[in-house]
Amino acid sequence: MHTNDNGHYAAAVAALADRRYEAAGDAYTRAGWSVLADPRDDHDPFAPDDRGSIGDGPRHLLTAALCYRVADCPARATRRATAGIALVGDLGATMATPLQAACFDEFAADFRVAGGLEGAADAYAAAADAYRAAADETTDPQTVGATPLFLAAAAPAKQLARTLENGEIAIEWEDLHGADPSDPGDFLAARAEYKRQRFASLVDGCVDKGVLAAPRGTTEYATDHHACPACGSRDVNWVANSTLCLRCSRPTEPQ
């Protein structure tokens, strides 16, 4: 469901395509603040919401921190992450269901990694414990995991991973969740445990490479109508208002 980012998300994607990562971080920051102020026209950001539409707010702020890391602006990444931790702590305490509060705990651990802060492993362990404590026999974890809040919490890791895998989907639904949805606590706790093992290495890989790919949108392979002027690929990724190369996230051109 679309949230109100006032066009800043599209600007962030365009900056990623131009590899202007500090500018992308600024645009993602503005997108995050916009969503936090008014996530949807019909929704107060501090009102309970069983779908968690507010999730795009911390998602964009987390991605901003990642952009600053790739841009070699670690102090800005740390400041954005510190603010993000405070934000998700407040949201988890004031408007969330227990399962949503656990998801905000997951976000808090991600912010620690993105900002180069200590305590990430303990934060992921706390998030996993919170999932197990919040889930019960009435929980449908597959439905929960497909709500906007949980999808938003998964998106930055997927964006990092595709950067290192030639633009492909490198983290699947099955990677993030447990094998047995009949055990909803463990099924959802697997998200935090997977990230505890992988998120830091994904961040480090993108920082070392000096690249952060655009998010994956609508894709088409081996087109006869687009070619990337940077790498020659004809695989296309339409995301936000940009038409990008699926492989290198550069702007691609019609032929």
Side-chain angles (χ1 to χ4, degrees):
M1 182 178 294
H2 176 73
T3 49
N4 296 328
D5 59 64
N6 288 324
H8 298 303
Y9 173 63
V13 171
L16 288 177
D18 290 337
R19 300 196 174 181
R20 296 182 296 112
Y21 294 117
E22 187 172 11
D26 292 347
Y28 269 116
T29 298
R30 297 179 73 186
W33 286 338
S34 295
V35 172
L36 290 167
D38 287 295
R40 296 198 318 264
D41 292 343
D42 60 349
H43 183 66
D44 183 305
F46 297 107
D49 171 9
D50 61 2
R51 294 184 56 76
S53 299
I54 199 71
D56 275 346
R59 169 196 171 187
H60 293 324
L61 295 180
L62 177 58
T63 312
L66 298 172
C67 289
Y68 294 140
R69 285 288 299 277
V70 172
D72 196 23
C73 301
R76 296 200 72 191
T78 297
R79 289 193 290 269
R80 194 66 68 241
T82 301
I85 291 167
L87 164 73
V88 295
D90 184 61
L91 292 174
T94 57
M95 54 72 65
T97 67
L99 283 169
Q100 289 174 334
C103 190
F104 285 124
D105 289 342
E106 180 187 326
F107 259 125
D110 291 344
F111 274 116
R112 289 187 177 279
V113 176
L117 299 168
E118 296 181 353
D122 288 344
Y124 282 125
D129 288 344
Y131 278 126
R132 293 189 179 97
D136 58 30
E137 65 277 2
T138 68
T139 301
D140 180 348
Q142 293 174 308
T143 298
V144 170
T147 58
L149 174 61
F150 282 74
L151 295 175
K158 292 183 174 183
Q159 187 172 347
L160 289 165
R162 73 180 300 266
T163 306
L164 304 174
E165 294 294 338
N166 198 30
E168 289 293 350
I169 297 172
I171 297 178
E172 302 279 0
W173 170 274
E174 294 79 7
D175 298 322
L176 275 175
H177 299 101
D180 182 9
S182 69
D183 187 340
D186 279 346
F187 185 88
L188 293 171
R191 299 169 56 95
E193 292 170 343
Y194 179 86
K195 287 184 176 180
R196 179 178 58 80
Q197 297 170 7
R198 291 289 315 279
F199 201 76
S201 65
L202 293 172
V203 174
D204 290 344
C206 291
V207 170
D208 291 345
K209 190 175 181 179
V211 176
L212 180 63
R216 188 178 174 108
T218 301
T219 60
E220 184 177 351
Y221 288 78
T223 70
D224 60 3
H225 47 73
H226 279 80
C228 176
C231 73
S233 172
R234 289 186 169 273
D235 302 333
V236 182
N237 178 31
W238 288 277
V239 57
N241 294 333
S242 295
T243 303
L244 306 180
C245 175
L246 181 68
R247 301 304 169 191
C248 68
S249 285
R250 292 287 200 174
T252 189
E253 300 174 351
Q255 298 294 294

